[in-house]
Amino acid sequence: PLITVNVGTGTPQEAASWVYYANVTKGYGIKYWQVGNEMDGIWETGGPFRADDYAFRFTEYYDAMTAVDPTIIITGPVVGGPNNNSDAYDGLTYIQTFLNTMHTMGKTADIGAVDFHWYAGSTTAAAALGTPSQMATFATNLTSWISTAGLSPTIPVMMSEYNVNAGTPLLMNQLPTGL
């Protein structure tokens, strides 16, 4: 499982309590934890966060959660799209600014996996089937961003959500989307 903790209106202490309950009290051994969900978006309670602000909060959550269970892997930035803007007026993507801010703070070791979502924005079946080809370009860019931030090139990368645009509910329930 991959568990998301509330960063929008929650606290690091609340997240640590979830880790304690799941892994200490219940013994579930949940390894993967996300700090928030698409906090770059206005659709998330407590959001949006600028990517650099999210990085500061990420480290607070990391410290609190790993104090309870140092074996867990915490993923971020869990951005709503791989190329979404950082909202930090730096001309970079959310992922770039998150990684660079973590590097500046000397906290890149806190990132257990780079995690993002991809809703391709397709409105037709043909467009939806064409979007996976965009991943090669993104993978090249992400490799560069990881290198620039000084992270290991072997850091896990997770695309924990993928689909077409959520604004196209009919297409979301058709065979091309499943493919």
Side-chain angles (χ1 to χ4, degrees), residues 35-65:
V35 176
N37 178 65
E38 300 181 3
M39 294 311 301
D40 58 316
I42 60 171
W43 53 90
E44 291 297 331
T45 302
F49 290 173
R50 290 175 11 167
D52 50 351
D53 291 338
Y54 173 85
F56 290 112
R57 292 183 192 209
F58 182 92
T59 62
E60 294 172 342
Y61 276 69
Y62 175 90
D63 291 343
M65 294 166 69

mmCIF file of all heavy atoms in Angstrom, residues 35-65:
data_model
loop_
_atom_site.group_PDB
_atom_site.id
_atom_site.type_symbol
_atom_site.label_atom_id
_atom_site.label_comp_id
_atom_site.label_asym_id
_atom_site.label_seq_id
_atom_site.Cartn_x
_atom_site.Cartn_y
_atom_site.Cartn_z
ATOM 1 N N VAL A 35 3.473 12.461 1.222
ATOM 2 C CA VAL A 35 3.170 13.679 1.975
ATOM 3 C C VAL A 35 2.253 14.527 1.103
ATOM 4 O O VAL A 35 2.692 15.197 0.179
ATOM 5 C CB VAL A 35 4.454 14.436 2.360
ATOM 6 C CG1 VAL A 35 4.120 15.750 3.047
ATOM 7 C CG2 VAL A 35 5.326 13.567 3.263
ATOM 8 N N GLY A 36 0.963 14.442 1.381
ATOM 9 C CA GLY A 36 -0.028 15.202 0.628
ATOM 10 C C GLY A 36 -0.353 14.573 -0.707
ATOM 11 O O GLY A 36 0.202 13.545 -1.094
ATOM 12 N N ASN A 37 -1.277 15.217 -1.389
ATOM 13 C CA ASN A 37 -1.726 14.765 -2.701
ATOM 14 C C ASN A 37 -1.988 15.983 -3.575
ATOM 15 O O ASN A 37 -2.885 16.770 -3.275
ATOM 16 C CB ASN A 37 -3.022 13.944 -2.564
ATOM 17 C CG ASN A 37 -3.542 13.498 -3.903
ATOM 18 O OD1 ASN A 37 -2.901 12.718 -4.590
ATOM 19 N ND2 ASN A 37 -4.700 14.009 -4.291
ATOM 20 N N GLU A 38 -1.168 16.133 -4.596
ATOM 21 C CA GLU A 38 -1.352 17.203 -5.582
ATOM 22 C C GLU A 38 -1.530 18.571 -4.923
ATOM 23 O O GLU A 38 -2.442 19.330 -5.248
ATOM 24 C CB GLU A 38 -2.529 16.879 -6.507
ATOM 25 C CG GLU A 38 -2.324 15.600 -7.273
ATOM 26 C CD GLU A 38 -3.455 15.255 -8.229
ATOM 27 O OE1 GLU A 38 -4.411 16.039 -8.373
ATOM 28 O OE2 GLU A 38 -3.381 14.170 -8.847
ATOM 29 N N MET A 39 -0.633 18.889 -4.027
ATOM 30 C CA MET A 39 -0.742 20.151 -3.294
ATOM 31 C C MET A 39 -0.441 21.366 -4.167
ATOM 32 O O MET A 39 -0.544 22.498 -3.710
ATOM 33 C CB MET A 39 0.162 20.133 -2.057
ATOM 34 C CG MET A 39 -0.272 19.101 -1.011
ATOM 35 S SD MET A 39 -2.037 19.123 -0.572
ATOM 36 C CE MET A 39 -2.237 20.775 0.035
ATOM 37 N N ASP A 40 -0.123 21.133 -5.434
ATOM 38 C CA ASP A 40 0.028 22.240 -6.371
ATOM 39 C C ASP A 40 -1.320 22.736 -6.862
ATOM 40 O O ASP A 40 -1.400 23.775 -7.496
ATOM 41 C CB ASP A 40 0.892 21.812 -7.561
ATOM 42 C CG ASP A 40 0.322 20.606 -8.303
ATOM 43 O OD1 ASP A 40 -0.114 19.639 -7.642
ATOM 44 O OD2 ASP A 40 0.319 20.610 -9.550
ATOM 45 N N GLY A 41 -2.392 22.017 -6.567
ATOM 46 C CA GLY A 41 -3.691 22.339 -7.121
ATOM 47 C C GLY A 41 -4.641 23.025 -6.168
ATOM 48 O O GLY A 41 -4.615 22.783 -4.959
ATOM 49 N N ILE A 42 -5.500 23.858 -6.735
ATOM 50 C CA ILE A 42 -6.515 24.545 -5.934
ATOM 51 C C ILE A 42 -7.611 23.581 -5.493
ATOM 52 O O ILE A 42 -8.384 23.896 -4.602
ATOM 53 C CB ILE A 42 -7.143 25.733 -6.707
ATOM 54 C CG1 ILE A 42 -7.820 25.250 -7.992
ATOM 55 C CG2 ILE A 42 -6.105 26.796 -6.997
ATOM 56 C CD1 ILE A 42 -8.632 26.303 -8.707
ATOM 57 N N TRP A 43 -7.660 22.397 -6.099
ATOM 58 C CA TRP A 43 -8.690 21.409 -5.777
ATOM 59 C C TRP A 43 -8.387 20.654 -4.480
ATOM 60 O O TRP A 43 -9.242 19.949 -3.968
ATOM 61 C CB TRP A 43 -8.855 20.409 -6.928
ATOM 62 C CG TRP A 43 -7.557 19.774 -7.335
ATOM 63 C CD1 TRP A 43 -7.005 18.624 -6.830
ATOM 64 C CD2 TRP A 43 -6.650 20.252 -8.322
ATOM 65 N NE1 TRP A 43 -5.801 18.370 -7.426
ATOM 66 C CE2 TRP A 43 -5.558 19.360 -8.360
ATOM 67 C CE3 TRP A 43 -6.653 21.346 -9.183
ATOM 68 C CZ2 TRP A 43 -4.478 19.531 -9.222
ATOM 69 C CZ3 TRP A 43 -5.572 21.507 -10.027
ATOM 70 C CH2 TRP A 43 -4.516 20.618 -10.051
ATOM 71 N N GLU A 44 -7.196 20.795 -3.933
ATOM 72 C CA GLU A 44 -6.834 20.085 -2.709
ATOM 73 C C GLU A 44 -7.024 20.986 -1.496
ATOM 74 O O GLU A 44 -6.576 22.134 -1.489
ATOM 75 C CB GLU A 44 -5.391 19.584 -2.772
ATOM 76 C CG GLU A 44 -5.186 18.480 -3.778
ATOM 77 C CD GLU A 44 -5.975 17.213 -3.474
ATOM 78 O OE1 GLU A 44 -6.252 16.919 -2.292
ATOM 79 O OE2 GLU A 44 -6.319 16.513 -4.438
ATOM 80 N N THR A 45 -7.655 20.452 -0.476
ATOM 81 C CA THR A 45 -7.901 21.211 0.745
ATOM 82 C C THR A 45 -6.578 21.684 1.331
ATOM 83 O O THR A 45 -5.643 20.901 1.499
ATOM 84 C CB THR A 45 -8.654 20.343 1.775
ATOM 85 O OG1 THR A 45 -9.873 19.920 1.180
ATOM 86 C CG2 THR A 45 -8.934 21.112 3.040
ATOM 87 N N GLY A 46 -6.517 22.974 1.611
ATOM 88 C CA GLY A 46 -5.296 23.552 2.162
ATOM 89 C C GLY A 46 -4.327 24.041 1.101
ATOM 90 O O GLY A 46 -3.348 24.704 1.418
ATOM 91 N N GLY A 47 -4.566 23.713 -0.158
ATOM 92 C CA GLY A 47 -3.664 24.095 -1.230
ATOM 93 C C GLY A 47 -4.148 25.349 -1.929
ATOM 94 O O GLY A 47 -5.172 25.902 -1.582
ATOM 95 N N PRO A 48 -3.404 25.793 -2.894
ATOM 96 C CA PRO A 48 -2.167 25.189 -3.359
ATOM 97 C C PRO A 48 -0.947 25.657 -2.554
ATOM 98 O O PRO A 48 -0.982 26.712 -1.931
ATOM 99 C CB PRO A 48 -2.071 25.679 -4.803
ATOM 100 C CG PRO A 48 -2.780 26.996 -4.811
ATOM 101 C CD PRO A 48 -3.854 26.891 -3.767
ATOM 102 N N PHE A 49 0.095 24.835 -2.603
ATOM 103 C CA PHE A 49 1.400 25.188 -2.027
ATOM 104 C C PHE A 49 2.358 25.456 -3.171
ATOM 105 O O PHE A 49 2.341 24.737 -4.171
ATOM 106 C CB PHE A 49 2.016 24.022 -1.246
ATOM 107 C CG PHE A 49 1.358 23.648 0.042
ATOM 108 C CD1 PHE A 49 1.782 22.515 0.709
ATOM 109 C CD2 PHE A 49 0.355 24.396 0.614
ATOM 110 C CE1 PHE A 49 1.210 22.134 1.902
ATOM 111 C CE2 PHE A 49 -0.230 24.035 1.813
ATOM 112 C CZ PHE A 49 0.200 22.886 2.456
ATOM 113 N N ARG A 50 3.214 26.438 -2.991
ATOM 114 C CA ARG A 50 4.336 26.592 -3.914
ATOM 115 C C ARG A 50 5.276 25.414 -3.683
ATOM 116 O O ARG A 50 5.329 24.846 -2.586
ATOM 117 C CB ARG A 50 5.084 27.890 -3.642
ATOM 118 C CG ARG A 50 4.313 29.112 -4.003
ATOM 119 C CD ARG A 50 4.988 30.394 -3.643
ATOM 120 N NE ARG A 50 6.378 30.280 -3.227
ATOM 121 C CZ ARG A 50 7.203 31.296 -3.107
ATOM 122 N NH1 ARG A 50 6.782 32.515 -3.383
ATOM 123 N NH2 ARG A 50 8.431 31.125 -2.705
ATOM 124 N N ALA A 51 6.028 25.027 -4.685
ATOM 125 C CA ALA A 51 6.911 23.866 -4.580
ATOM 126 C C ALA A 51 7.969 24.035 -3.488
ATOM 127 O O ALA A 51 8.304 23.077 -2.790
ATOM 128 C CB ALA A 51 7.581 23.592 -5.918
ATOM 129 N N ASP A 52 8.491 25.240 -3.323
ATOM 130 C CA ASP A 52 9.499 25.437 -2.278
ATOM 131 C C ASP A 52 8.871 25.364 -0.890
ATOM 132 O O ASP A 52 9.459 24.804 0.041
ATOM 133 C CB ASP A 52 10.283 26.739 -2.486
ATOM 134 C CG ASP A 52 9.415 27.958 -2.724
ATOM 135 O OD1 ASP A 52 8.186 27.839 -2.903
ATOM 136 O OD2 ASP A 52 9.976 29.073 -2.741
ATOM 137 N N ASP A 53 7.659 25.878 -0.733
ATOM 138 C CA ASP A 53 6.959 25.755 0.547
ATOM 139 C C ASP A 53 6.649 24.292 0.858
ATOM 140 O O ASP A 53 6.778 23.842 1.997
ATOM 141 C CB ASP A 53 5.656 26.563 0.550
ATOM 142 C CG ASP A 53 5.891 28.057 0.542
ATOM 143 O OD1 ASP A 53 6.990 28.502 0.947
ATOM 144 O OD2 ASP A 53 4.980 28.795 0.114
ATOM 145 N N TYR A 54 6.241 23.559 -0.166
ATOM 146 C CA TYR A 54 5.975 22.139 0.022
ATOM 147 C C TYR A 54 7.243 21.422 0.496
ATOM 148 O O TYR A 54 7.173 20.559 1.372
ATOM 149 C CB TYR A 54 5.461 21.502 -1.279
ATOM 150 C CG TYR A 54 5.331 20.003 -1.182
ATOM 151 C CD1 TYR A 54 4.181 19.423 -0.657
ATOM 152 C CD2 TYR A 54 6.360 19.175 -1.596
ATOM 153 C CE1 TYR A 54 4.073 18.050 -0.544
ATOM 154 C CE2 TYR A 54 6.261 17.804 -1.486
ATOM 155 C CZ TYR A 54 5.120 17.234 -0.957
ATOM 156 O OH TYR A 54 5.031 15.870 -0.841
ATOM 157 N N ALA A 55 8.393 21.765 -0.054
ATOM 158 C CA ALA A 55 9.651 21.126 0.343
ATOM 159 C C ALA A 55 9.930 21.334 1.835
ATOM 160 O O ALA A 55 10.347 20.398 2.530
ATOM 161 C CB ALA A 55 10.813 21.650 -0.498
ATOM 162 N N PHE A 56 9.702 22.540 2.329
ATOM 163 C CA PHE A 56 9.916 22.798 3.757
ATOM 164 C C PHE A 56 8.983 21.932 4.608
ATOM 165 O O PHE A 56 9.396 21.348 5.604
ATOM 166 C CB PHE A 56 9.711 24.278 4.089
ATOM 167 C CG PHE A 56 10.794 25.161 3.544
ATOM 168 C CD1 PHE A 56 10.525 26.068 2.528
ATOM 169 C CD2 PHE A 56 12.095 25.089 4.025
ATOM 170 C CE1 PHE A 56 11.529 26.881 2.014
ATOM 171 C CE2 PHE A 56 13.101 25.901 3.520
ATOM 172 C CZ PHE A 56 12.810 26.797 2.503
ATOM 173 N N ARG A 57 7.735 21.848 4.198
ATOM 174 C CA ARG A 57 6.773 21.012 4.946
ATOM 175 C C ARG A 57 7.135 19.540 4.831
ATOM 176 O O ARG A 57 6.993 18.777 5.783
ATOM 177 C CB ARG A 57 5.357 21.267 4.458
ATOM 178 C CG ARG A 57 4.886 22.664 4.812
ATOM 179 C CD ARG A 57 3.463 22.893 4.406
ATOM 180 N NE ARG A 57 3.143 24.302 4.503
ATOM 181 C CZ ARG A 57 1.948 24.770 4.754
ATOM 182 N NH1 ARG A 57 0.941 23.948 4.941
ATOM 183 N NH2 ARG A 57 1.739 26.060 4.817
ATOM 184 N N PHE A 58 7.582 19.130 3.660
ATOM 185 C CA PHE A 58 7.982 17.739 3.446
ATOM 186 C C PHE A 58 9.038 17.324 4.476
ATOM 187 O O PHE A 58 8.936 16.248 5.058
ATOM 188 C CB PHE A 58 8.528 17.578 2.019
ATOM 189 C CG PHE A 58 8.940 16.171 1.672
ATOM 190 C CD1 PHE A 58 8.040 15.305 1.075
ATOM 191 C CD2 PHE A 58 10.225 15.725 1.920
ATOM 192 C CE1 PHE A 58 8.411 14.008 0.741
ATOM 193 C CE2 PHE A 58 10.609 14.434 1.601
ATOM 194 C CZ PHE A 58 9.703 13.570 1.005
ATOM 195 N N THR A 59 10.013 18.176 4.704
ATOM 196 C CA THR A 59 11.074 17.817 5.661
ATOM 197 C C THR A 59 10.532 17.716 7.086
ATOM 198 O O THR A 59 10.978 16.861 7.851
ATOM 199 C CB THR A 59 12.245 18.815 5.611
ATOM 200 O OG1 THR A 59 11.789 20.111 5.970
ATOM 201 C CG2 THR A 59 12.873 18.861 4.237
ATOM 202 N N GLU A 60 9.585 18.570 7.438
ATOM 203 C CA GLU A 60 8.973 18.487 8.769
ATOM 204 C C GLU A 60 8.226 17.161 8.930
ATOM 205 O O GLU A 60 8.314 16.509 9.981
ATOM 206 C CB GLU A 60 8.005 19.647 8.992
ATOM 207 C CG GLU A 60 8.672 21.002 9.050
ATOM 208 C CD GLU A 60 7.675 22.146 9.075
ATOM 209 O OE1 GLU A 60 6.490 21.967 8.722
ATOM 210 O OE2 GLU A 60 8.101 23.253 9.452
ATOM 211 N N TYR A 61 7.504 16.769 7.901
ATOM 212 C CA TYR A 61 6.775 15.500 7.934
ATOM 213 C C TYR A 61 7.751 14.330 7.960
ATOM 214 O O TYR A 61 7.559 13.368 8.709
ATOM 215 C CB TYR A 61 5.821 15.391 6.739
ATOM 216 C CG TYR A 61 4.506 16.088 6.987
ATOM 217 C CD1 TYR A 61 4.431 17.479 7.069
ATOM 218 C CD2 TYR A 61 3.338 15.369 7.137
ATOM 219 C CE1 TYR A 61 3.232 18.130 7.302
ATOM 220 C CE2 TYR A 61 2.122 16.002 7.375
ATOM 221 C CZ TYR A 61 2.080 17.382 7.461
ATOM 222 O OH TYR A 61 0.882 18.022 7.705
ATOM 223 N N TYR A 62 8.789 14.416 7.154
ATOM 224 C CA TYR A 62 9.797 13.357 7.129
ATOM 225 C C TYR A 62 10.378 13.138 8.527
ATOM 226 O O TYR A 62 10.458 12.003 9.005
ATOM 227 C CB TYR A 62 10.917 13.698 6.136
ATOM 228 C CG TYR A 62 12.038 12.699 6.161
ATOM 229 C CD1 TYR A 62 11.994 11.589 5.329
ATOM 230 C CD2 TYR A 62 13.121 12.851 7.015
ATOM 231 C CE1 TYR A 62 13.012 10.644 5.360
ATOM 232 C CE2 TYR A 62 14.134 11.911 7.055
ATOM 233 C CZ TYR A 62 14.080 10.811 6.226
ATOM 234 O OH TYR A 62 15.077 9.871 6.264
ATOM 235 N N ASP A 63 10.790 14.212 9.159
ATOM 236 C CA ASP A 63 11.397 14.096 10.489
ATOM 237 C C ASP A 63 10.440 13.463 11.492
ATOM 238 O O ASP A 63 10.830 12.571 12.263
ATOM 239 C CB ASP A 63 11.861 15.464 10.993
ATOM 240 C CG ASP A 63 13.044 16.023 10.212
ATOM 241 O OD1 ASP A 63 13.721 15.251 9.489
ATOM 242 O OD2 ASP A 63 13.277 17.249 10.301
ATOM 243 N N ALA A 64 9.196 13.908 11.502
ATOM 244 C CA ALA A 64 8.218 13.388 12.468
ATOM 245 C C ALA A 64 7.884 11.923 12.187
ATOM 246 O O ALA A 64 7.816 11.099 13.113
ATOM 247 C CB ALA A 64 6.955 14.244 12.443
ATOM 248 N N MET A 65 7.684 11.587 10.933
ATOM 249 C CA MET A 65 7.254 10.237 10.580
ATOM 250 C C MET A 65 8.369 9.210 10.736
ATOM 251 O O MET A 65 8.139 8.107 11.237
ATOM 252 C CB MET A 65 6.708 10.223 9.154
ATOM 253 C CG MET A 65 5.420 11.043 9.005
ATOM 254 S SD MET A 65 4.962 11.382 7.288
ATOM 255 C CE MET A 65 4.494 9.741 6.736
#
